[in-house]
Amino acid sequence: MEVLHFLENCLNSLVEVAILIFEFIGVSIIIVSGIRGFYNYVRRYPETKLILAKGLAMGLEFKMGSEILRTVMVQEWSEIGTVAGIIVLRAALTFLIHWEIKQEEIGNKT
């Protein structure tokens, strides 16, 4: 029984560290993308919107990965609802950003 408790603690620790790493990567990508987007906007670079959208989408993908990992840690049904809601919102944002990227790429080809 103690071995199972030890393994559970190891898994929880590993997941907590992975969540922090994914969150950090996601936030870093979003910050860098925002700064690059502002720089490109000031320089009037024509593909600013597309570059910014791709960076935001990538950052959200990492943030969604951390939320998926967070489901491993969930202990109660109320927490499942909260995590599921966050995942749905982030998935919807990611879908909309990818749709906008496709529309922008189609617009640039014509």
Side-chain angles (χ1 to χ4, degrees):
M1 210 42 137
E2 285 189 36
V3 172
L4 290 177
H5 186 66
F6 172 75
L7 291 175
E8 182 180 2
N9 287 337
C10 287
L11 177 65
N12 287 338
S13 297
L14 178 65
V15 169
E16 286 178 14
V17 169
I19 288 170
L20 287 174
I21 291 170
F22 276 37
E23 289 280 339
F24 179 78
I25 292 170
V27 169
S28 298
I29 290 171
I30 291 170
I31 290 170
V32 169
S33 297
I35 292 169
R36 281 184 62 205
F38 179 73
Y39 177 77
N40 289 338
Y41 175 75
V42 169
R43 296 200 47 151
R44 303 276 191 243
Y45 187 67
E47 295 193 2
T48 298
K49 188 176 179 181
L50 186 60
I51 292 169
L52 180 60
K54 285 181 178 181
L56 292 175
M58 180 62 66
L60 281 172
E61 295 286 344
F62 277 98
K63 300 275 291 162
M64 196 164 18
S66 73
E67 292 301 330
I68 291 169
L69 281 175
R70 200 176 308 272
T71 61
V72 173
M73 306 287 292
V74 170
Q75 303 274 330
E76 297 177 11
W77 283 104
S78 62
E79 292 175 335
I80 291 174
T82 302
V83 171
I86 292 169
I87 290 172
V88 167
L89 287 173
R90 288 192 178 158
L93 281 171
T94 302
F95 173 77
L96 290 172
I97 290 172
H98 281 292
W99 179 79
E100 188 174 330
I101 289 169
K102 285 182 184 179
Q103 295 303 314
E104 190 73 23
E105 287 176 340
I106 289 171
N108 287 342
K109 288 182 183 178
T110 57

